[in-house]
Amino acid sequence: MAETKREIERKYEATGQTAVPDLTRVSGVSAVVDRGVMELDAVYYDTPDFRLAADALTLRRRTGGDDAGWHIKFPVTSGIRDEVRAPLADTLPGELAGLLRSRVRGDDVVPVVRLRSARDVRHLVTDDGTLLAELSVDTVHAERLPDGAEATWTEIEVELADDTDPAVLDAVEKRLRKAGIRPSASASKLARALTETGAAPRPADTPGTPGTAGAAVLGYVREQVDAIVAHDPAVRRDLPDAVHQLRVACRRLRSAFKTYRRVLDRNVTDALGEELKWLAGELGVARDQEVLDERLRAHVTDLPDTLVLGPVKARLRRRDAARGGHARRQVLAALDSARYLALLDGLDALLSDPPFRKAAHRDAGKVLARALREDLDRLAGRIEHALSLAPGHDRDLALHDARKAAKRARYAADAARPTLEKPARRLAKGVKPVQSLLGEHQDAVVARTALRELGLQAHGLGESAFTWGLLYGREEAAAAAAERELPEVWARASATELAAALTH
């Protein structure tokens, strides 16, 4: 079984003659314990075109030391990485291979660098022996595979112990700097090895002439494709909010294809948009279930105990467990499918050979402003239509359509921010409360359906359905309140003024 460790560390330049200063002068460090020298041998793997290295990921098979095995390191932020470990084996374990699938696809990973290190380890401990950090002086010999180009260097690495205040690293760094020791220019040993042996990955080029609509839209499209690829392993690791973030990237990308149809040919993007809709739908089962369960639990918790009749909380827990497990299996099945990999390949093909239309070669400001005005007009029309209907099922559907139009307008504004700046920010800010209110309305509609189902189940089993009916009534009132509030919220959004702000 794979396990994950949060790695918080800092690297420093050194030579074979660099002397580590006395670190017992660091606050909290009572002793520096020499743990001896260990020999480490690690082979790093990547695709031949260095897709993992381009995203600052490392995959290695290490022997020696106390953590021998297969390791994948995912960047979290500067100096912080999540290391996923699996036991030593001859081939890459399937559990780790899955975490790389969105980047590797159907290709094999191959050995690209071998690093052999002599690691001189010292433990920084408190007066009672508690480990604060581990400092090592590493003498590294790198060999690029298969051509044999070599590089050698020495570096100092300080890694924070589990559950230790990161301020310890600041204090150690201050002491090292006073001794003339400076932070390393490379984020990892692999990055340095690739640079010094002439194999560093090159950043992807974005087609399109700068300042044109094509370059602006394609830059945004690339951001969303990168987000899908990056959030895939987070979903597989079941990290908080990962499903939501992956789903949002799908929606943003699909929305961009629709909004900027004058820039990118719909004969290409429509098919990709349908596949993005499929993927978002598969992800939505898990995400929508999560949102609904949180909403229902919160409502039950808010009720006085005298109004909670029957095994209400227990039924919610059973529903959550049963549907949550099914939803996660459905998500993982989608991410492991050939259909998903084909979608990723299709998105890569679009980025490398974009299906530009005539508008792609025109001034970005004018083309993007026109697209935003059209999205804003669409939102206005849908809200007007919804409010013209009598309360009931048809209005609920129309308001849901208006919500989708509001999301599309906000996503389009986000895509246009680098180009239009203030007008785009103003549009996004103006539409946000409209989208939020319409979202609250839709959540209440969905919750009513679930509560009716729960009430029927309770009734069929001879339980009291009172609490479910009470909550249903509250959701009905919440939806009605949102409908009453919508005209005023929409008026405050000042659709006419927002459209005027986009006029060049």
Side-chain angles (χ1 to χ4, degrees):
M1 289 292 292
E3 60 178 22
T4 300
K5 180 181 184 300
R6 175 61 56 89
E7 179 182 82
I8 304 176
E9 66 179 20
R10 298 181 187 177
K11 295 179 182 293
Y12 301 87
E13 300 288 352
T15 68
Q17 289 71 47
T18 300
V20 177
D22 180 9
L23 296 178
T24 58
R25 297 180 64 182
V26 172
S27 177
V29 177
S30 296
V32 177
V33 182
D34 190 345
R35 303 293 294 181
V37 178
M38 63 179 68
E39 300 294 329
L40 305 176
D41 191 345
V43 175
Y44 287 76
Y45 290 75
D46 206 332
T47 58
D49 56 354
F50 298 105
R51 282 175 235 160
L52 303 184
D55 286 344
L57 268 68
T58 60
L59 167 65
R60 74 185 178 198
R61 182 183 184 272
R62 173 188 273 179
T63 57
D66 56 5
D67 64 345
W70 286 91
H71 307 152
I72 299 177
K73 294 190 179 185
F74 292 95
V76 177
T77 187
S78 179
I80 303 178
R81 296 185 292 181
D82 279 346
E83 183 177 271
V84 184
R85 302 173 177 177
L88 194 63
D90 291 336
T91 57
L92 178 63
E95 190 172 357
L96 297 195
L99 298 179
L100 302 175
R101 188 164 289 122
S102 64
R103 292 175 171 88
V104 173
R105 317 287 166 78
D107 294 342
D108 293 327
V109 291
V110 296
V112 293
V113 167
R114 182 182 184 187
L115 293 181
R116 284 170 287 180
S117 305
R119 169 163 287 185
D120 186 358
V121 180
R122 301 143 201 212
H123 283 180
L124 281 56
V125 300
T126 63
D127 54 4
D128 64 358
T130 299
L131 179 65
L132 294 174
E134 178 180 284
L135 181 145
S136 63
V137 180
D138 296 344
T139 302
V140 185
H141 178 78
E143 177 187 1
R144 196 174 79 205
L145 305 173
D147 62 19
E150 296 181 337
T152 300
W153 69 89
T154 300
E155 67 181 34
I156 294 173
E157 184 176 291
V158 184
E159 181 174 348
L160 195 69
D162 293 342
D163 303 319
T164 301
D165 187 345
V168 170
L169 291 183
D170 294 333
V172 171
E173 178 164 311
K174 183 177 181 180
R175 184 69 181 143
L176 293 177
R177 282 180 175 271
K178 283 186 177 181
I181 298 171
R182 296 292 178 261
S184 174
S186 295
S188 69
K189 288 183 174 65
L190 175 62
R192 182 165 185 168
L194 291 175
T195 298
E196 296 199 7
T197 60
R202 297 178 180 178
D205 294 328
T206 299
T209 304
T212 63
V217 172
L218 206 66
Y220 180 77
V221 167
R222 183 179 294 281
E223 287 179 11
Q224 304 316 311
V225 174
D226 288 348
I228 291 173
V229 170
H231 288 304
D232 172 303
V235 171
R236 295 176 188 272
R237 294 168 59 200
D238 203 19
L239 297 184
D241 207 38
V243 170
H244 174 60
Q245 293 300 327
L246 180 52
R247 189 185 186 194
V248 167
C250 291
R251 285 176 163 175
R252 285 181 177 273
L253 187 51
R254 183 166 175 253
S255 179
F257 288 158
K258 290 182 176 180
T259 295
Y260 300 111
R261 61 192 180 280
R262 289 189 177 86
V263 177
L264 297 174
D265 191 345
R266 291 187 62 180
N267 289 324
V268 175
T269 60
D270 278 358
L272 291 172
E274 284 303 307
E275 291 305 281
L276 289 166
K277 181 180 180 181
W278 159 76
L279 179 57
E282 296 297 293
L283 297 167
V285 173
R287 175 59 182 171
D288 291 345
Q289 186 61 45
E290 177 184 341
V291 171
L292 177 59
D293 288 339
E294 289 177 357
R295 184 182 183 95
L296 296 183
R297 284 196 302 270
H299 287 343
V300 170
T301 300
D302 288 343
L303 287 176
D305 291 343
T306 53
L307 298 181
V308 181
L309 306 183
V312 171
K313 294 181 180 179
R315 184 166 293 285
L316 281 179
R317 286 194 298 269
R318 288 195 297 271
R319 182 181 185 277
D320 185 4
R323 299 197 178 201
H326 170 73
R328 175 153 178 80
R329 288 190 295 273
Q330 185 170 333
V331 166
L332 294 179
L335 296 184
D336 286 335
S337 69
R339 183 176 182 179
Y340 171 62
L341 295 184
L343 168 59
L344 295 180
D345 288 342
L347 293 172
D348 279 353
L350 178 142
L351 290 171
S352 61
D353 185 18
F356 283 147
R357 298 185 66 197
K358 288 183 179 180
H361 308 290
R362 297 172 185 159
D363 177 73
K366 293 180 179 179
V367 174
L368 270 59
R370 177 181 177 182
L372 264 61
R373 286 196 298 271
E374 290 175 349
D375 274 0
L376 196 57
D377 288 344
R378 178 182 297 103
L379 173 58
R382 291 193 179 182
I383 289 179
E384 182 180 354
H385 170 65
L387 294 177
S388 71
L389 300 174
H393 179 68
D394 289 345
R395 177 185 265 197
D396 290 343
L397 293 178
L399 288 170
H400 185 43
D401 285 342
R403 180 197 185 194
K404 290 187 284 187
K407 279 188 176 182
R408 176 169 162 178
R410 278 194 69 200
Y411 292 160
D414 288 341
R417 280 190 183 192
T419 301
L420 300 178
E421 297 180 339
K422 185 176 179 180
R425 291 195 300 270
R426 184 176 174 186
L427 173 59
K429 183 179 180 180
V431 171
K432 183 176 180 178
V434 178
Q435 179 190 329
S436 298
L437 185 64
L438 291 169
E440 172 61 25
H441 180 273
Q442 178 63 13
D443 288 348
V445 170
V446 172
R448 286 206 314 256
T449 301
L451 289 165
R452 184 177 184 277
E453 176 185 315
L454 287 163
L456 289 172
Q457 290 175 358
H459 179 74
L461 293 172
E463 301 168 2
S464 172
F466 171 82
T467 301
W468 306 117
L470 176 63
L471 293 177
Y472 183 98
R474 291 192 173 188
E475 293 289 7
E476 196 168 43
E483 292 177 31
R484 290 193 302 270
E485 191 177 350
L486 180 58
E488 181 181 348
V489 171
W490 176 236
R492 285 201 301 268
S494 302
T496 303
E497 291 183 16
L498 289 174
L502 297 169
T503 302
H504 279 57

